[in-house]
Amino acid sequence: MGFINLKKCESVSPLPGIRLKAPFGERIMLSHLEMDAGAEVPRHCHPHEQAGVLLVGRLQLTIGAETRTLNPGDVYLVPGGVEHSAVAVDGPVKVLDIFSPIREDYARPSNNALVPAGKGG
């Protein structure tokens, strides 16, 4: 794959108040997620394993039957097939998620920002 300039990746807005950029390789995907204050990812599940780290803000995250409020630096793991949801609390949130295998629904516009050789990004 190589280097990707995240600033040049096209954002996808799957839900109101939520934007993500999702560069990927053959078997792994990163998702840089930004949520406006109060934005919500409703309860859902998918077959992909998901791991993440909260970068900015506070995030109320429910995995299965357990709910916690995360602070920057907190890490979470969501097994494939487990229901989960999230709400940005007390302001905007930035999260880095990792998915395996890649989520095809996020992949379409995401690898259009490869840094050309010699450009350094």
Side-chain angles (χ1 to χ4, degrees):
M1 172 54 50
F3 299 97
I4 295 175
N5 184 336
L6 197 58
K7 292 177 185 175
K8 294 182 180 179
C9 286
E10 181 180 339
S11 288
V12 175
S13 185
L15 296 163
I18 298 176
R19 295 158 306 284
L20 66 88
K21 298 176 180 185
F24 61 94
E26 286 184 44
R27 294 180 298 274
I28 195 165
M29 169 179 274
L30 299 176
S31 173
H32 185 267
L33 181 74
E34 295 181 341
M35 299 174 68
D36 296 337
E40 183 173 348
V41 176
R43 197 160 182 81
H44 68 286
C45 69
H46 43 72
H48 314 82
E49 281 188 286
Q50 179 178 350
V53 60
L54 181 62
L55 303 173
V56 174
R58 296 183 70 223
L59 183 70
Q60 182 179 328
L61 182 65
T62 300
I63 302 172
E66 185 175 1
T67 300
R68 292 195 183 182
T69 300
L70 306 180
N71 294 297
D74 288 344
V75 173
Y76 52 90
L77 301 170
V78 182
V82 173
E83 289 189 346
H84 53 288
S85 62
V87 179
V89 294
D90 299 333
V93 166
K94 289 185 182 180
V95 174
L96 179 62
D97 278 325
I98 301 166
F99 292 97
S100 181
I102 66 168
R103 288 190 58 162
E104 294 295 337
D105 54 333
Y106 289 176
R108 289 183 295 272
S110 295
N111 270 3
N112 296 330
L114 288 174
V115 176
K119 297 294 181 182

